[in-house]
Amino acid sequence: MVDMADEWNSAIDTSRPSIARAYDVVLNGKDNFEVDRSFVSEIVKVVPEIYDVAAYNRQVLGRGVRFLIDQGIDQFLDLGSGLPTVENTHQVAQRANPDARVVYVDNDPMVLAHGRALLAENDRTAVVTSDLRDPAAILGDEAVKRLIDLDRPVGVMLIGILHHLHDDEDPRGIVEAYMAAVPSGSYLFVTHFCDSSQDSRDAEKKFLALLGTGRFRTVEEITSFFDGFELVEPGVVPLPLWRPDGDVPGELTVGQRLMYGGIARKP
């Protein structure tokens, strides 16, 4: 199912599911392995809508990036970006502003391989293989310094990734480190699994047991990532309710409430 070069294929651990590849599965991608598909099949048992949840997350990424472009943001740091798929950050941003610059950061070697293809055709996009838990290393990376001007506002994106950081890894401190490095007028964009129902708590148990990560935080905990920043309307809400392009149902399903997100401006 995956056709990759030998030089980096050996670096891929196919003995356990990966965050990036599992997300690729639920986005109906092709860059995943049986171990990833088996993991997703277990999640489907407790959250049958998990494929829809991935679609909601991808859709809100597009709406959020377009909103940020409208605010004058033309450089994006997409942390824990995952594997490239339809409507990536750079595609959405550069469609609205051809000069927009995007740096993707992920620690999965498959993401770097796809990044090489991006670099070959787009000099305003880069992929950095690094762990978002090391802000100093990422902010000091040559590709980041080449494309991201930290004297100008930046869109800092943590889309569907902070829930893969355990509490003892200080996810809030990590967010604060990135936001401390960007100037006033920058924006923080977060989506996150939410402890919103018994089904979500059952899903959390599956994630932790099979993937080793997947902390479903409360709405209050997710909102705390934005402390000190100016939340834009409608605040931290279920993804389908964040500035929807069309009508949304009056009563949300379990899947529609599984992830919450929001955007805030650094004053």
Side-chain angles (χ1 to χ4, degrees), residues 47 49-50 52-53 56 197 240 252-259:
V47 184
E49 295 175 79
I50 195 66
D52 294 330
V53 174
Y56 303 144
S197 67
L252 300 183
T253 66
V254 168
Q256 289 169 330
R257 291 185 286 113
L258 199 70
M259 291 187 76

Side-chain angles (χ1 to χ4, degrees), residues 80 94 121 139 179 194:
Q94 291 171 1
E121 63 184 31
L139 294 167
M179 295 307 292
C194 186

Side-chain angles (χ1 to χ4, degrees), residues 96-118:
N97 179 356
D99 294 324
R101 295 168 177 249
V102 177
V103 176
Y104 295 104
V105 178
D106 203 284
N107 63 358
D108 192 303
M110 287 180 69
V111 177
L112 175 61
H114 285 285
R116 290 174 179 164
L118 289 178

Side-chain angles (χ1 to χ4, degrees), residues 4 14 27 38 154 193-194 218 222 250 253 258:
M4 300 298 176
T14 60
L27 287 172
S38 295
V154 180
F193 282 140
C194 186
T218 65
I222 298 169
T253 66
L258 199 70

Side-chain angles (χ1 to χ4, degrees), residues 224-242:
S224 72
F225 288 118
F226 298 101
D227 284 356
F229 309 123
E230 301 167 347
L231 270 168
V232 304
E233 290 294 332
V236 177
V237 296
L239 299 189
L241 300 184
W242 198 90

Side-chain angles (χ1 to χ4, degrees), residues 18-73:
S18 95
I19 295 166
R21 299 192 316 255
Y23 188 40
D24 183 67
V25 172
V26 292
L27 287 172
N28 295 303
K30 61 181 179 59
D31 298 311
N32 52 74
F33 296 94
E34 180 57 36
V35 66
D36 309 301
R37 298 188 289 277
S38 295
F39 164 70
V40 170
S41 69
E42 289 298 313
I43 298 299
V44 167
K45 293 177 183 177
V46 290
V47 184
E49 295 175 79
I50 195 66
Y51 283 80
D52 294 330
V53 174
Y56 303 144
N57 195 48
R58 203 68 191 173
Q59 291 159 6
V60 83
L61 181 150
R63 298 198 302 274
V65 170
R66 290 193 296 272
F67 169 83
L68 293 175
I69 287 284
D70 288 344
Q71 309 315 303
I73 299 298

Side-chain angles (χ1 to χ4, degrees), residues 11 91 238:
Q91 292 171 319

Side-chain angles (χ1 to χ4, degrees), residues 63 69 173 175 182 188 197 206 220 222 236 266:
R63 298 198 302 274
I69 287 284
V175 171
V182 298
L188 172 64
S197 67
K206 283 282 189 181
E220 292 75 20
I222 298 169
V236 177
K266 181 176 179 177

